[in-house]
Amino acid sequence: MSIKLIAVDMDGTFLDDGKNYNRERFAAQYQQMKEQGIRFVVASGNQYFQLISFFPDIAHEISFVADNGGWVVSEGEDLFNGELTKQEFNTLVDHLLTLPHVEIIACGKRNGYTLNGYDDDFKQMAAKYYHRLEHVDSFSNLDDVFFKFALNLPDNLLDETMDALSAEFDGIVVPVTSGHGSIDLIIPGIHKANGLRILQDKWGIKDSEVVTFGDGGNDIEMLTQAGFGFAMANAPDKIKRIARFQAGNCNQQGVLDVIDKVLKKEAPFN
């Protein structure tokens, strides 16, 4: 069995709860990946500029499926941008602003945008995920390419809000969970698996030659598309049920343990 692509989600998957990973161990693995002709892809709901900060030495030679597939970059080359139309953007904003329990980030190519009126705790949290975040008085007349919206809300309102948004925005965007109290509104069909498909087509890589890792609702498509989809041990049960394989906990280097098996061609990769 020849693996040619490894794709990792970041939060709750490649990163531990402290937003760290074992850089020395991964650096050694990455050299072996290159020697074996295995591509490494970061596939995350997070902003591209935040993602490259985790890989300062190799960002120019790996690939990123950022903003849940909204922006695909390979070796510094811009391959794909999803884009909401102005009308779709305004329709979404007009409704979202009526939801008192929801805080909004409009995710653009140049910046993320959020409102000055939100409290400082939310702004500080958002800044961890959006290295380019602009505080604005309103979402009107923003000049950017918009991939998606990211929403922050109380955990206990997550399920009912997901259902309500699915009904309200049917055909415009699809709500997916991206972590505790977080919902991403993504363009239909523009998800992580679509981003991987663009890269696979570029490189001539089959699904059976792909390993993916994830822990959330926004990972479902890439976990099921890949020949080897690994849900993390810390993932919700519904994510574990859809993945064919399971990796260890994100706090115990579960992804790196499986990458070792890939590199050594151990089960299930033998």
Side-chain angles (χ1 to χ4, degrees):
M1 173 57 62
S2 175
I3 297 302
K4 296 182 179 178
L5 190 156
I6 295 173
V8 301
D9 172 51
M10 289 295 280
D11 296 307
T13 301
F14 191 75
L15 300 177
D16 61 26
D17 289 343
K19 301 279 187 276
N20 299 305
Y21 67 96
N22 187 327
R23 292 177 185 248
E24 184 177 359
R25 183 183 181 190
F26 174 72
Q29 290 181 332
Y30 179 67
Q31 288 305 313
Q32 293 179 65
M33 283 185 244
K34 289 207 293 185
E35 291 166 8
Q36 295 186 24
I38 300 172
R39 304 274 186 172
F40 182 72
V41 180
V42 178
S44 172
N46 293 339
Q47 187 184 49
Y48 170 71
F49 302 107
Q50 187 245 17
L51 297 177
I52 61 175
S53 73
F54 286 104
F55 303 94
D57 298 329
I58 62 170
H60 63 287
E61 61 184 43
I62 64 175
S63 300
F64 296 88
V65 176
D67 280 303
N68 275 334
W71 191 0
V72 181
V73 179
S74 180
E75 299 172 28
E77 180 187 0
D78 205 334
L79 294 186
F80 175 79
N81 298 151
E83 184 174 5
L84 292 162
T85 68
K86 189 66 175 175
Q87 182 177 354
E88 290 168 340
F89 181 91
N90 290 335
T91 297
L92 293 164
V93 166
D94 288 347
H95 180 75
L96 292 173
L97 288 173
T98 69
L99 306 179
H101 56 279
V102 170
E103 292 155 323
I104 307 163
I105 300 173
C107 303
K109 186 170 183 175
R110 286 196 296 273
N111 290 294
Y113 302 86
T114 196
L115 295 180
N116 279 318
Y118 293 145
D119 65 49
D120 288 341
D121 286 345
F122 169 72
K123 292 176 184 174
Q124 289 170 10
M125 182 274 291
K128 295 178 182 177
Y129 298 94
Y130 294 85
H131 282 205
R132 294 190 184 180
L133 184 64
E134 188 173 327
H135 300 138
V136 296
D137 291 328
S138 87
F139 292 113
S140 301
N141 303 314
L142 297 177
D143 182 21
D144 208 338
V145 173
F146 287 96
F147 308 131
K148 65 165 191 171
F149 282 86
L151 311 180
N152 184 65
L153 64 159
D155 279 351
N156 64 324
L157 297 177
L158 196 63
D159 290 341
E160 68 177 78
T161 303
M162 285 274 290
D163 291 342
L165 293 175
S166 293
E168 181 70 27
F169 296 139
D170 185 35
I172 302 176
V173 289
V174 178
V176 295
T177 55
S178 55
H180 293 291
S182 299
I183 295 174
D184 277 356
L185 301 179
I186 64 174
I187 301 168
I190 308 300
H191 42 57
K192 294 182 185 183
N194 182 68
L196 291 181
R197 171 68 55 216
I198 291 167
L199 294 169
Q200 288 175 237
D201 289 347
K202 174 181 172 67
W203 297 322
I205 295 176
K206 303 172 187 174
D207 291 345
S208 60
E209 299 169 320
V210 176
V211 183
T212 57
F213 298 89
D215 73 312
N218 58 346
D219 298 314
I220 289 173
E221 292 87 358
M222 76 169 183
L223 289 174
T224 54
Q225 176 174 284
F228 297 88
F230 283 80
M232 305 305 292
N234 48 280
D237 287 342
K238 64 180 180 181
I239 305 302
K240 293 176 184 174
R241 285 195 293 270
I242 64 97
R244 289 178 58 203
F245 301 94
Q246 185 171 316
N249 192 289
C250 69
N251 292 316
Q252 297 167 348
Q253 303 183 30
V255 169
L256 301 188
D257 288 345
V258 176
I259 290 177
D260 274 343
K261 294 180 183 295
V262 173
L263 295 170
K264 295 174 183 176
K265 297 180 171 56
E266 296 177 354
F269 308 107
N270 49 5

